[in-house]
Amino acid sequence: MSAIRLSEKVYWVGAVDAGVRDFHGYKTPYGTTYNSYLILDEKITLIDFVKEGFTSEHIRNIEEIVPLERLDVLVANHIEPDHSGSLPAVAARAKNAVLLASPNGKKGLEAYYGLTCPIRTVKSGESYATGAYTLMFTHIPMVHWPDSMVTYLAEEGLLFSNDAFGQHIASDKRFVDELGIPFVMDRAKDYYANIVLPFGAQVEKALAALGGLKLSMIAPSHGQIWRSDIPGILEKYARWSGNATDPDLAVIIYDTMWGSTAMMADALRAELEAQGKTVRTYSLKSSHISEVMAGLLEAKHICVGSPTLNRGMMPNVAAFLTYMKGLAPKNRVGMAFGSYGWSGESVSQVESVLRECGFELLPMRRQLYRSQTT
Ligand code: FEO
């Protein structure tokens, strides 16, 4: 994939990872990109880097426009290896460039890579002139790591937002509207549910800090660039960060041994639908936990079922609950259910995790095989 011109002086020079299917536990059926951007001003600036393994593609794309030795400014918005892997190779050749990062970014880059080149730290709100253009930095800690920041190119209204507003999509198209807003918005939702959800309070602070900016493009570090639906993605982030839920949306997530817990899930679905709710049911035998997270992002009611296996819950259910608890959805109503043949510990164990998640609880439902309810 070659460099792509985004505006008169700005180019995309990142890398496309069409083959990745597991992003630290999150399934990525559409692959991803590691976006990096080049700004041709008096001082030539490179924004962000790519995952190790894609360094050659990154350097090839930069050098379609300019030799690495001519880079004057390197901006590391985020140190996670998907956005910093090519940095040591680029910095080794861009010997005259100043490397800019947040204070936590500096610490992390030195720890990860043992970089010996000087790193200049930038404060939140600080500006840096590159000639006709001005870069402005805003720290957005925990969106997604403590070091994270965004860079705003004031003269173009272009926000290099790093992980924020990203989506895991591999494509030779660069803009959201070229792939269709509904498809990209769904991928942005997957991404939010599996990556950003625990940091709602920090997202709200970031949205407030960026609120006054004129935005003509939001260029994240994964996936497509927003230009025609900026209000739409900002509205979604405001909604998701506030854990806004649909009171009429319920999800049922379960595993089953011999079908009894599946029968309970079916009965529960019918009951909820009779109450007028929309119900999404996920069997953990066939649905990956990251798909389930996207499905429950806006659901008020979360029902989790497991039979008892060896005095505990099914391993698939335990894995899902661990994952969901870490992603910390809030303001939910939970219910545990499950069938058992002997002792039935699983249901109270599921309920215990739902309580730890801070959910309001409805009475648990336990059923001996297919007939008796306790
Ligand atoms: Fe895409 Fe937090 O890295």
Side-chain angles (χ1 to χ4, degrees):
M1 175 99 209
S2 298
I4 293 178
R5 194 173 202 166
L6 305 179
S7 69
E8 190 187 338
K9 293 187 179 179
V10 181
Y11 290 79
W12 175 90
V13 289
V16 177
D17 187 353
V20 66
R21 290 292 178 270
D22 184 314
F23 204 96
H24 52 53
Y26 160 23
K27 286 288 174 217
T28 50
Y30 304 96
T32 195
T33 61
Y34 313 110
N35 295 337
S36 171
Y37 302 95
L38 191 65
I39 306 169
L40 300 186
D41 198 13
E42 234 169 83
K43 291 181 181 172
I44 299 176
T45 301
L46 181 69
I47 308 276
D48 287 330
F49 303 84
V50 306
K51 186 177 170 183
E52 194 180 15
F54 293 84
T55 300
S56 306
E57 185 176 341
H58 189 208
I59 291 176
R60 190 178 66 240
N61 284 339
I62 297 167
E63 294 205 307
E64 278 183 19
I65 313 299
V66 66
L68 288 189
E69 289 74 12
R70 286 195 52 208
L71 296 176
D72 298 297
V73 184
L74 308 177
V75 177
N77 279 320
H78 180 25
I79 64 169
E80 194 166 6
D82 49 332
H83 306 299
S84 63
S86 62
L87 195 163
V90 172
R93 284 186 50 202
K95 289 190 188 308
N96 297 318
V98 59
L99 174 55
L100 307 179
S102 68
N104 280 327
K106 179 176 189 292
K107 269 190 237 164
L109 290 173
E110 288 170 347
Y112 258 118
Y113 301 110
L115 289 180
T116 53
C117 62
I119 303 176
R120 179 176 154 183
T121 58
V122 292
K123 297 190 180 78
S124 196
E126 188 173 337
S127 294
Y128 187 95
T130 61
Y133 280 175
T134 310
L135 305 175
M136 191 187 92
F137 308 101
T138 303
H139 295 180
I140 54 165
M142 302 318 296
V143 188
H144 158 234
W145 275 13
D147 62 284
S148 294
M149 66 177 194
V150 297
T151 300
Y152 179 59
L153 177 54
E155 289 76 10
E156 294 213 11
L158 206 170
L159 181 69
F160 301 103
S161 62
N162 202 267
D163 277 337
F165 312 115
Q167 339 88 39
H168 284 312
I169 299 171
S171 172
D172 58 355
K173 307 292 186 201
R174 292 277 55 85
F175 291 100
V176 170
D177 46 279
E178 293 176 306
L179 291 189
I181 291 168
F183 171 75
V184 180
M185 198 63 88
D186 278 349
R187 303 293 75 77
K189 182 180 176 184
D190 298 343
Y191 184 94
Y192 192 97
N194 285 280
I195 302 273
V196 190
L197 181 56
F199 311 116
Q202 292 88 346
V203 171
E204 285 177 339
K205 278 189 198 159
L207 290 173
L210 301 172
L213 300 180
K214 169 183 151 279
L215 295 174
S216 60
M217 274 190 217
I218 297 177
S221 56
H222 296 290
Q224 308 304 111
I225 297 166
W226 304 89
R227 58 181 175 184
S228 58
D229 195 39
I230 290 174
I233 187 65
L234 291 176
E235 188 273 324
K236 287 292 187 187
Y237 261 60
R239 180 174 169 79
W240 296 332
S241 63
N243 269 271
T245 58
D246 178 349
D248 291 324
L249 180 59
V251 291
I252 298 172
I253 304 130
Y254 73 95
D255 199 357
T256 193
M257 284 174 67
W258 296 106
S260 295
T261 299
M263 290 175 69
M264 292 183 76
D266 286 344
L268 185 55
R269 180 183 187 111
E271 189 179 320
L272 290 167
E273 284 177 343
Q275 293 169 11
K277 292 184 172 53
T278 300
V279 184
R280 297 176 183 153
T281 303
Y282 297 93
S283 162
L284 291 168
K285 291 193 193 306
S286 53
S287 296
H288 190 265
I289 53 178
S290 49
E291 178 196 345
V292 178
M293 280 310 302
L296 68 74
L297 181 63
E298 299 187 72
K300 182 71 176 175
H301 304 270
I302 298 176
C303 309
V304 182
S306 177
T308 296
L309 174 69
N310 300 329
R311 306 184 75 87
M313 64 182 97
M314 293 282 277
N316 278 342
V317 178
F320 164 70
L321 287 171
T322 299
Y323 191 63
M324 180 178 73
K325 186 178 162 190
L327 288 164
K330 293 184 174 55
N331 308 329
R332 315 298 168 122
V333 176
M335 193 186 83
F337 68 94
S339 169
Y340 65 100
W342 310 336
S343 46
E345 291 93 336
S346 65
V347 185
S348 55
Q349 291 174 9
V350 170
E351 186 181 75
S352 170
V353 181
L354 297 179
R355 184 179 293 109
E356 288 167 20
C357 290
F359 294 0
E360 177 189 337
L361 294 175
L362 297 178
M364 68 171 87
R365 294 183 184 184
R366 293 192 309 159
Q367 182 167 316
L368 179 60
Y369 298 128
R370 300 183 185 193
S371 55
Q372 299 174 35
T373 302
T374 60

